[in-house]
Amino acid sequence: MLLEAIYHQPKRNWAYALDPDTIRLRLRAKKGDLTEVHAITGDKYDWERTTQTVPLVKFASDKRFDYFEGSVKPPFRRMKYGFQLQSGDETLWLNENDFVDKPITGPDNLFQFPYINHVDIYSPPAWVKDTVFYQIFPERFANGDPSNDPKGTEPWGGEPRTDNFFGGDLQGVLDHLDYLSDLGINGIYFTPVFTATTNHKYDTEDYLQVDPHFGDVELLKKLVQACHDRGIRVILDAVFNHSGRTFAPFVDLLKNEEHSRYKDWFHIHSFPLEVKDGAASYETFSFEPMMPKLNTENPEVKEYLLKVAEFWIREVGMDGWRLDVADEVDHAFWRDFRRTVKQANPEAYILGEMWNESAEWLQGDQFDATMNYPFTTAVVDFFVKDDVDAQNFAFSIGNQMARYTQPATDVAFNLLDSHDVPRLLTLCQGDKRRMRLAAVFQFTYMGAPCIFYGDEIGLDGGPDPECRGCMIWEPEQQDLELLRFYKELIAARRANPSLRSGHLNFLQADAGSGILVFERTSEAADQSVDQEGSGTSTRQSGAERSIILMNRSEEPQTITVSVEGRDWKTLIGHDDFVYRNGTLETKLKPFGYLVLKEI
């Protein structure tokens, strides 16, 4: 065994309470090194009568490591534990201090999970994993009320720029709820709707008012209620890292400078307030002087922003917050933010904007989820750019699965594009076969998928501001075939629990290959599957199962995989398959896919 590669710590994603009765344990080892892993567990006060030996199974792999996990139900919600590690004929035991060559016989020197306290359990809203989100940039979705158009509004469908307006508003969204319901989405994420000077509204002027170009608070209430009547949840975007330059406290600061009562609301380096060589004398978002950074450690600022967070939950009945530039705000603020929001609505979804690994924020005391841009990168690299083969794609996904607890993975916000990055179709250089393949993986993976408005009808666009073009409403200008595909994909996900939560096993993901085959089960599997693609699958009694087969290749590919089970039917895809004697075979067309369900 390579002992230096073996890793465990009794916290975070390595040891956590899955529910009030269950502890999930994980351990990392060198890839291909360990053949068996068991946890030796017991109560520290009654070791002899409570000792259990629990197998850990390999649930993920990446380029260098295998990751094992198993669940324990300690009789008294507390546990001491160590590990028995086997590599062929070699056996060692791991306690809290070291590796030893003698079996574990008592609780001394073992790891400890002191107690499952209910308040400490990370429990994100259950509804999220069953949700398909649709991101709306209000200024570009639909103009339902021309009377509130900004001065200089341009004709709908023009070239998007950083400084132009087309008149999109909340009434426009309200007018198209039938379209959204027919599409099948059941969650909307709105970029900011509060008063601001820009078309994107990330420079907040008034946190307690809807921008008059979009409507007012009463119209937002009406829209949220109409969405709820259709079973659609609504989350709004908040910018608590920074305000806009026209935010009243900053206006006072500009006027009164060091004499302003609001000078401690911001991070001021020096007076007078000015911008020299592209850098302001106060801290900002990036280097944008129009967006001064708020001092969230200031008690007055914190009190004000927490009142804002509570107001929109209670006043409008919204279902959660997406939080802009969330990783640049202090953790103490977010802990207070969570308490405030969850008191107002325990089922509210708190989603932080993160572009990197974010486990620190997903321990149950801050966010429920983060925007899963690492997922975006992995999917684009494999399905869109051909930068990696199937094996390395599986390794990337396996690494992401190992980073987070299962509940966090179940509610991750999985996007393929957004208002901040080029649109998926543009990244695919107009190749809708690649776009479909990427979307199939997105909708058959764990977490909540999100569609950026217009992707479903073929809207394209490069980097900001090009990705923020006007929605196309004329049917003759929409890609209706692509729209039917998205409707089919959404319907399949919503109708099949195995596509929404549970476990994932890669069955084929070989080096140098564009063939990807993986299995989804609605319950965690109790046996390991070779992450390097052995082509075998074992059926767990009572679990709903789906098999997803994908061909990222310009050539037809014959795929054969061993799958124990009854029989299979097609959920999505048009290629034929044969299943007999435990073997599934199909010939997928170029960039073809099949999503099959066990029957």
Side-chain angles (χ1 to χ4, degrees), residues 305-540:
L305 294 178
L306 294 183
K307 285 182 178 178
V308 170
E310 181 182 32
F311 174 82
W312 293 101
I313 294 282
R314 294 194 186 278
E315 184 70 16
V316 175
M318 49 178 277
D319 301 288
W321 284 107
R322 183 268 188 185
L323 304 166
D324 191 58
V325 201
D327 54 351
E328 296 186 22
V329 177
D330 64 278
H331 292 284
F333 176 83
W334 289 133
R335 292 186 181 102
D336 289 341
F337 176 88
R338 183 179 184 86
R339 283 190 285 270
T340 299
V341 169
K342 294 295 184 176
Q343 286 172 2
N345 178 7
E347 289 299 302
Y349 182 45
I350 301 176
L351 172 67
E353 182 198 16
M354 301 281 174
W355 293 70
N356 301 93
E357 192 275 337
S358 52
E360 179 70 20
W361 289 265
L362 300 176
Q363 302 302 309
D365 60 342
Q366 296 178 69
F367 305 153
D368 293 313
T370 55
M371 300 186 76
N372 201 354
Y373 279 105
F375 166 87
T376 311
T377 299
V379 172
V380 169
D381 283 350
F382 178 63
F383 292 105
V384 177
K385 297 182 177 180
D386 289 355
D387 282 350
V388 298
D389 58 20
Q391 183 184 70
N392 282 295
F393 173 70
F395 287 164
S396 178
I397 294 298
N399 180 270
Q400 293 181 38
M401 289 167 56
R403 283 179 177 178
Y404 303 109
T405 65
Q406 184 67 44
T409 299
D410 282 342
V411 298
F413 191 86
N414 297 330
L415 66 164
L416 296 181
D417 54 2
S418 73
H419 64 290
D420 284 325
V421 296
R423 283 187 174 268
L424 179 59
L425 184 56
T426 297
L427 289 175
C428 293
Q429 298 182 1
D431 190 339
K432 292 174 184 175
R433 302 173 305 167
R434 290 183 180 273
M435 183 179 183
R436 289 189 183 95
L437 212 57
V440 168
F441 186 84
Q442 178 192 26
F443 275 76
T444 55
Y445 185 61
M446 296 168 285
C450 181
I451 301 168
F452 188 33
Y453 77 96
D455 279 355
E456 75 281 4
I457 51 92
L459 202 60
D460 59 6
D464 168 26
E466 297 172 23
C467 56
R468 303 173 180 183
C470 295
M471 177 67 174
I472 298 171
W473 290 111
E474 297 79 9
E476 65 275 11
Q477 296 182 35
Q478 296 178 340
D479 186 328
L480 299 181
E481 182 180 349
L482 188 62
L483 179 60
R484 284 191 292 271
F485 161 79
Y486 270 96
K487 289 181 179 180
E488 179 184 32
L489 195 56
I490 294 169
R493 179 181 174 88
R494 293 188 59 182
N496 294 277
S498 62
L499 300 183
R500 302 196 302 273
S501 63
H503 200 69
L504 179 149
N505 286 321
F506 286 105
L507 304 179
Q508 287 188 25
D510 298 331
S513 173
I515 293 175
L516 190 72
V517 182
F518 60 98
E519 174 188 49
R520 294 295 317 277
T521 57
S522 58
E523 299 174 11
D526 57 6
Q527 286 186 283
S528 169
V529 173
D530 183 356
Q531 297 291 312
E532 292 190 61
S534 65
T536 60
S537 168
T538 56
R539 182 178 185 275
Q540 181 187 13

Side-chain angles (χ1 to χ4, degrees), residues 94-347:
L94 173 64
N95 62 33
E96 187 175 42
N97 300 318
D98 205 351
F99 298 91
V100 296
D101 57 5
K102 295 181 180 180
I104 293 170
T105 57
D108 294 345
N109 299 319
L110 296 187
F111 296 102
Q112 177 175 235
F113 198 102
Y115 193 79
I116 302 176
N117 291 293
H118 192 275
V119 71
D120 294 329
I121 300 173
Y122 167 59
S123 301
W127 59 265
V128 176
K129 64 185 178 183
D130 297 325
T131 301
V132 175
F133 282 101
Y134 189 86
Q135 182 189 351
I136 292 178
F137 192 87
E139 217 283 320
R140 304 291 161 80
F141 187 66
N143 187 347
D145 182 5
S147 70
N148 63 18
D149 286 359
K151 183 179 180 180
T153 293
E154 299 177 16
W156 192 260
E159 179 183 355
R161 301 192 306 275
T162 57
D163 59 353
N164 62 347
F165 295 85
F166 295 100
D169 50 33
L170 297 181
Q171 185 61 50
V173 180
L174 193 59
D175 293 344
H176 289 91
L177 286 185
D178 283 346
Y179 169 84
L180 296 176
S181 292
D182 187 54
L183 179 60
I185 62 98
N186 55 347
I188 295 176
Y189 151 44
F190 285 104
T191 53
V193 299
F194 309 127
T195 306
T197 64
T198 59
N199 55 36
H200 55 71
K201 310 301 179 189
Y202 282 100
D203 58 326
T204 312
E205 177 177 301
D206 190 335
Y207 286 86
L208 294 171
Q209 293 295 329
V210 171
D211 193 290
H213 297 148
F214 289 165
D216 55 25
V217 175
E218 290 306 311
L219 181 59
L220 181 58
K221 285 184 184 179
K222 181 180 178 181
L223 173 57
V224 170
Q225 185 58 54
C227 287
H228 287 172
D229 291 344
R230 295 167 178 265
I232 298 173
R233 309 265 187 168
V234 178
I235 64 172
L236 298 183
D237 205 325
V239 190
F240 293 155
N241 174 70
H242 56 271
S243 71
R245 192 177 173 90
T246 57
F247 181 46
F250 195 75
V251 171
D252 185 274
L253 181 63
L254 288 170
K255 177 181 179 182
N256 298 305
E257 297 215 319
E258 62 263 40
H259 303 294
S260 172
R261 68 173 299 268
Y262 296 106
K263 66 179 180 179
D264 292 330
W265 278 47
F266 304 90
H267 299 270
I268 309 301
H269 297 307
S270 63
F271 292 103
L273 299 182
E274 58 185 350
V275 179
K276 285 187 176 180
D277 300 324
S281 60
Y282 50 91
E283 293 187 25
T284 66
F285 164 67
S286 183
F287 295 102
E288 177 48 69
M290 296 295 291
M291 297 180 179
K293 182 174 175 62
L294 290 161
N295 179 12
T296 50
E297 297 179 44
N298 179 291
E300 288 185 349
V301 174
K302 178 180 286 190
E303 180 182 13
Y304 173 78
L305 294 178
L306 294 183
K307 285 182 178 178
V308 170
E310 181 182 32
F311 174 82
W312 293 101
I313 294 282
R314 294 194 186 278
E315 184 70 16
V316 175
M318 49 178 277
D319 301 288
W321 284 107
R322 183 268 188 185
L323 304 166
D324 191 58
V325 201
D327 54 351
E328 296 186 22
V329 177
D330 64 278
H331 292 284
F333 176 83
W334 289 133
R335 292 186 181 102
D336 289 341
F337 176 88
R338 183 179 184 86
R339 283 190 285 270
T340 299
V341 169
K342 294 295 184 176
Q343 286 172 2
N345 178 7
E347 289 299 302

